[in-house]
C-alpha cells in the first residue's frame, strides 16, 4: 500500500508553556508534555548512499531523541506512529529504534496486536493532506496519551505514558521525530530547549556525523563492457500487469576501485529477462554493463548461461538488503 495524499483533512496543534496553560485555565488532565524533538537529513542523493537497507541518519536521530527524553530504548515507549508512506519507511524506523516487527503482528488466538506501530491506522489508510500526515499523528497521539493518563493507576506500566511520532520526506531523506508524555518534563529554559533540540539542526552534531559519511561514486556512462554485480533492482509493470522496464543499480567489479563504484542501468526489453528478474532473487548476481550511445543509457546484461548466475567474484561483500514483493510480482530491493 502507498500513501494517500489527495484527501480533505485538517489538524491543529497548540503548544504553550505550563505558565500560559495555567493562565488560560487549561485543565491539567489535558496537558501533554514534549520530551524530545530531533531532526536530521540523510545523504541527499540516493545514488550516493553506501546502503539502502537502513538509514544511519534515522538511527542517529532516534537515539538523540531517546537521550533527550532520558529513555534507554524504545522498549520504554508504549505508543508509536511510524511514518508509513511505504512499507520500507516503517522497516527503516523499526530498524533504527531496535523494534522487533513481531510487535505489530496480529495474534489470531487473542485477536489483538500486543503493540501497534500506528495510532491513526497508518498513512495508506488514514490519509494525509499534502505533507501534513504527521501533524494528524501527533494530534491523535495527544488523545491517546490523555486517555492513558485518565486510566493510569499505580500499577500502570510506565511506558504507557510515552508516545513517539516520526516523519520523513523525499526518499527517506529528511527525518524528524518527537517524544511526548503525560509525565512532566524536567524544568528547562528556552535556551536549554534550543540547545537540546538543535536550534539549527543543519549544524547539529548528529547532522555533522551524517555529512561526514563516505559517498559512493556513480559512473554515469560505463563506456567499456565491465563486469558488474546487482546491488538492487526493480521491474516496473504497466496497468495491464505487463513488465515494461527493468532498472538495475549495482557495483562495478573493478579491482582498481575496490568494487566501490556504482552504476545505474536498464535491462534490454526482453520478456525472458523480465521473467528471470521476477522469478527469483537476483540481488548479488553478476553480469556485464556497458553504455549504449544510441539509446543513451547503460544496459546491464545477465549471463545467458544459467549455471554462471550463481557465481559472483566479489572482494567486498555488501550488506544484505531487505526484500519487498509487490502485488504485481515485481521485486523491489531496498
Amino acid at each position: 500500500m502507498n500513501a494517500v495524499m489527495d484527501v480533505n483533512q485538517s489538524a491543529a496543534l497548540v503548544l504553550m508553556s505550563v505558565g500560559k496553560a495555567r493562565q488560560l485555565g487549561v485543565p491539567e488532565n489535558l496537558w501533554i508534555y514534549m520530551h524530545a524533538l530531533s531532526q536530521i537529513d540523510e545523504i541527499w542523493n540516493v545514488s550516493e548512499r553506501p546502503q539502502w537497507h537502513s538509514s544511519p541518519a534515522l538511527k542517529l536521530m532516534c537515539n538523540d531523541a531517546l537521550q533527550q527524553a532520558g529513555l534507554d530504548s524504545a522498549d520504554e515507549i508504549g505508543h508509536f506512529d511510524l511514518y508509513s508512506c511505504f512499507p520500507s519507511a516503517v522497516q527503516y524506523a523499526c530498524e533504527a529504534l531496535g523494534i522487533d516487527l513481531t510487535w505489530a503482528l496480529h495474534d489470531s488466538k487473542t485477536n489483538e496486536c500486543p503493540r501497534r506501530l500506528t495510532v491513526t491506522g497508518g498513512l495508506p489508510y488514514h490519509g494525509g493532506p499534502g505533507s501534513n500526515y504527521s501533524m494528524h499523528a501527533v494530534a491523535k497521539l495527544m488523545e491517546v496519551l490523555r486517555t492513558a493518563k485518565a486510566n493510569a493507576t499505580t500499577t500502570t506500566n510506565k511506558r504507557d505514558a510515552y508516545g513517539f511520532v516520526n516523519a520523513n520526506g523525499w526518499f527517506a531523506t529528511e527525518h524528524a521525530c518527537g517524544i511526548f508524555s503525560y509525565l512532566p518534563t524536567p524544568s528547562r529554559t528556552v535556551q536549554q530547549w534550543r540547545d537540546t533540540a538543535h536550534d539549527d539542526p543543519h549544524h547539529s552534531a548528529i547532522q555533522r556525523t551524517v555529512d561526514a559519511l563516505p559517498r559512493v561514486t556513480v559512473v554515469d556512462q560505463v563506456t567499456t563492457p565491465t563486469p558488474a554485480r546487482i546491488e538492487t533492482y526493480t521491474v516496473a509493470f504497466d496497468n495491464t500487469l505487463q513488465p515494461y522496464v527493468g532498472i538495475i543499480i549495482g557495483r562495478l567489479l573493478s579491482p582498481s576501485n575496490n568494487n566501490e563504484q556504482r552504476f545505474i542501468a536498464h535491462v534490454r526489453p526482453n520478456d525472458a529477462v523480465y521473467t528471470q528478474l521476477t522469478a527469483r532473487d537476483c540481488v548479488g548476481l553478476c553480469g556485464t554493463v556497458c553504455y549504449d550511445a544510441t539509446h543513451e543509457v547503460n544496459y546491464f546484461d545477465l549471463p545467458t548461461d544459467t549455471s554462471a548466475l550463481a557465481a559472483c567474484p566479489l572482494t567486498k561483500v555488501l550488506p544484505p538488503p531487505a526484500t519487498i514483493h509487490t502485488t504485481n510480482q515485481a521485486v523491489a530491493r531496498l
Side-chain angles (χ1 to χ4, degrees):
M1 295 297 293
N2 298 340
V4 180
M5 61 185 294
D6 297 329
V7 291
N8 186 14
Q9 295 174 310
S10 62
L13 304 173
V14 179
L15 181 66
M16 66 184 73
S17 67
V18 167
K20 178 58 71 172
R22 288 189 177 127
Q23 179 185 340
L24 296 176
V26 179
E28 287 196 32
N29 65 305
L30 299 180
W31 294 6
I32 302 298
Y33 302 85
M34 178 182 288
H35 281 237
L37 172 66
S38 189
Q39 65 185 87
I40 196 171
D41 290 345
E42 187 59 86
I43 293 174
W44 185 263
N45 292 326
V46 178
S47 59
E48 295 180 340
R49 297 177 190 174
Q51 60 191 28
W52 294 309
H53 66 280
S54 66
S55 170
L58 183 56
K59 186 175 294 187
L60 284 167
M61 181 192 71
C62 291
N63 288 340
D64 177 56
L66 289 169
Q67 184 177 14
Q68 288 182 42
L71 303 176
D72 292 328
S73 74
D75 286 338
E76 298 179 65
I77 299 175
H79 312 282
F80 294 87
D81 198 273
L82 304 185
Y83 200 79
S84 51
C85 53
F86 294 93
S88 58
V90 179
Q91 292 171 319
Y92 275 145
C94 285
E95 195 270 343
L97 287 164
I99 291 176
D100 184 344
L101 278 172
T102 57
W103 275 11
L105 292 181
H106 181 264
D107 189 329
S108 59
K109 294 181 179 179
T110 63
N111 198 32
E112 294 179 353
C113 287
R115 302 183 73 178
R116 299 180 184 276
L117 301 180
T118 176
V119 294
T120 68
L123 183 47
Y125 307 98
H126 178 276
S131 300
N132 197 40
Y133 167 76
S134 295
M135 178 177 282
H136 292 264
V138 173
K140 179 61 179 179
L141 180 62
M142 299 303 102
E143 297 178 1
V144 170
L145 289 174
R146 285 170 176 170
T147 300
K149 184 177 184 179
N151 296 332
T153 66
T154 55
T155 60
T156 298
N157 193 316
K158 184 182 176 182
R159 74 184 184 192
D160 288 337
Y162 289 91
F164 174 96
V165 173
N166 82 299
N168 77 58
W170 294 96
F171 305 100
T173 303
E174 298 173 330
H175 302 279
C177 72
I179 295 177
F180 307 87
S181 177
Y182 62 70
L183 300 175
T185 58
S187 179
R188 298 180 191 173
T189 65
V190 173
Q191 187 57 50
Q192 285 173 326
W193 262 112
R194 287 176 173 171
D195 292 342
T196 303
H198 316 307
D199 193 34
D200 186 355
H202 293 289
H203 293 89
S204 66
I206 58 173
Q207 185 62 61
R208 290 195 297 271
T209 299
V210 173
D211 294 342
L213 292 174
R215 267 69 167 167
V216 177
T217 300
V218 180
V219 179
D220 292 332
Q221 298 179 8
V222 184
T223 55
T224 59
T226 304
R229 173 184 182 267
I230 297 178
E231 189 179 5
T232 185
Y233 72 98
T234 190
V235 176
F237 286 67
D238 61 25
N239 57 10
T240 66
L241 297 184
Q242 297 303 309
Y244 68 93
V245 65
I247 300 172
I248 306 289
I249 303 177
R251 299 293 181 104
L252 299 176
L253 298 180
S254 173
S256 62
N257 62 57
N258 196 30
N259 302 332
E260 292 290 345
Q261 291 183 324
R262 179 175 283 152
F263 70 90
I264 301 174
H266 284 193
V267 296
R268 301 182 193 279
N270 183 295
D271 287 343
V273 174
Y274 294 145
T275 299
Q276 193 172 21
L277 290 174
T278 55
R280 59 171 296 175
D281 185 351
C282 291
V283 168
L285 299 182
C286 296
T288 303
V289 63
C290 188
Y291 182 71
D292 185 319
T294 302
H295 297 94
E296 298 183 329
V297 66
N298 291 319
Y299 276 121
F300 180 85
D301 294 308
L302 286 168
T304 55
D305 180 5
T306 56
S307 64
L309 291 177
C312 183
L314 186 66
T315 59
K316 181 178 181 181
V317 177
L318 301 176
T323 303
I324 298 172
H325 295 274
T326 65
T327 55
N328 58 12
Q329 297 183 344
V331 178
R333 295 283 297 195
L334 302 176

